[in-house]
Structures are given as C-alpha cells and as structure tokens.
Amino acid sequence: MKKSEKTPYETNPVEGPVDAICAFVEGYDVLQKILNETGEEHEIADALRAAMYRPVRPEGGDNPPISLYEIGVVFVPSADGPGKYGINERKLEAALKVREYDIRALFVQEDGILPHLAETLSDFLQDEELDEFIYAAMLRFLNECRRLTAMWT
C-alpha cells in the first residue's frame, strides 16, 4: 500500500487565519499531487480546481468580487506535474487587515470556496468507487477545509 502524505491539519497547529490559509493551500497541493501521481487527475482534479479558481462577491455590500489571487495566493503551473499554489504571506497579511470581511466571504459564505470544495469532495467520496489511497487523501483535504471553515464561523 502507498504511504499517504499527511496534511498540515494532522501535523501542524495553526495560530490564526494566515496559518490556516497556508495549511489549507498546502493540503490542496498535496491532494493534487496524489491525484496526479496515481493517474486520477481527471474529473476530481478538474472539479477541485474549478472551486478554487472562482471569484466570490461578498454579500451585503457593494464590494467587488474577490479571489485567491487578490489575497496573495497564486497558482504556479508546472511542466512536470499538476503545479502548486504559491503564497505571498505579506500580501495575505495585508489583505486580512484591509478586507477581512471579504476574505471571510471568499472562503465561507454560501457560494464561497470552502462550501464548494466540501460539496465536491463529499460527492466524490460518496458516489465514486475510489481507490482506498485516493479516498484517504480526499478525506484528509476535507478535514483541512473543515478546520478553515471552523476558524471563520
């Protein structure tokens, strides 16, 4: 059996939103790497990417849509794999000071990233006949999503 990489949720405590967002992004990258290495980088990976890339318009105001890119989280493609996210922690910290409400909305409001990821992961965990290794990796990332959700609610 393959050894599954542990997510930051299982290995690192977080002390605030910056740490939690960094752990979440690292957990996403771990799952994408596993999907790529096992040849499962098709429908699952596409659905997860769609949930991550979409901008979200915060409810209850006239604020413009916000995306991961605007808070310093950018996707860096790779020629030899699925690519991964890079985080500019200074930009993230600055964004949290100025747009904390909007960033919270980006992640947890009804049409935010985390509800979409949780729904997508839950659907695949229930409906697909997944390899045990893939199932465990998806469940680990779902736990990262839950931890970040808990921080914002």
Side-chain angles (χ1 to χ4, degrees):
M1 176 148 189
K2 303 168 194 164
K3 183 178 180 229
S4 181
E5 292 186 47
K6 296 207 182 266
T7 65
Y9 180 81
E10 297 165 306
T11 59
N12 300 333
V14 295
E15 299 200 12
V18 171
D19 286 348
I21 291 169
C22 290
F24 161 77
V25 169
E26 186 179 327
Y28 175 84
D29 287 339
V30 166
L31 178 56
Q32 289 292 352
K33 179 181 174 195
I34 289 169
L35 292 172
N36 182 282
E37 289 174 353
T38 58
E40 293 294 328
E41 191 194 15
H42 52 65
E43 189 178 348
I44 297 169
D46 291 344
L48 295 175
R49 275 192 290 273
M52 292 285 282
Y53 292 160
R54 44 190 303 289
V56 174
R57 179 176 296 278
E59 295 173 347
D62 294 331
N63 293 347
I66 187 167
S67 67
L68 289 175
Y69 175 80
E70 293 173 72
I71 64 170
V73 181
V74 297
F75 183 75
V76 181
S78 172
D80 62 344
K84 62 188 295 186
Y85 277 92
I87 301 171
N88 179 330
E89 287 189 37
R90 264 187 275 177
K91 185 173 182 178
L92 177 57
E93 288 170 1
L96 280 164
K97 288 178 185 170
V98 176
R99 295 186 73 185
E100 183 176 358
Y101 174 81
D102 295 345
I103 295 169
R104 182 187 175 286
L106 171 67
F107 285 103
V108 298
Q109 88 179 13
E110 188 175 333
D111 64 341
I113 291 172
L114 295 172
H116 276 85
L117 285 171
E119 181 179 345
T120 299
L121 289 165
S122 295
D123 288 348
F124 278 107
L125 288 168
Q126 291 174 5
D127 297 338
E128 297 288 323
E129 297 209 10
L130 295 171
D131 170 285
E132 185 177 317
F133 182 68
I134 300 295
Y135 183 90
M138 290 176 69
L139 198 54
R140 284 187 165 112
F141 179 60
L142 182 57
N143 285 335
E144 281 295 341
C145 294
R146 289 175 177 153
R147 173 167 69 173
L148 187 54
T149 300
M151 286 200 79
W152 288 106
T153 54

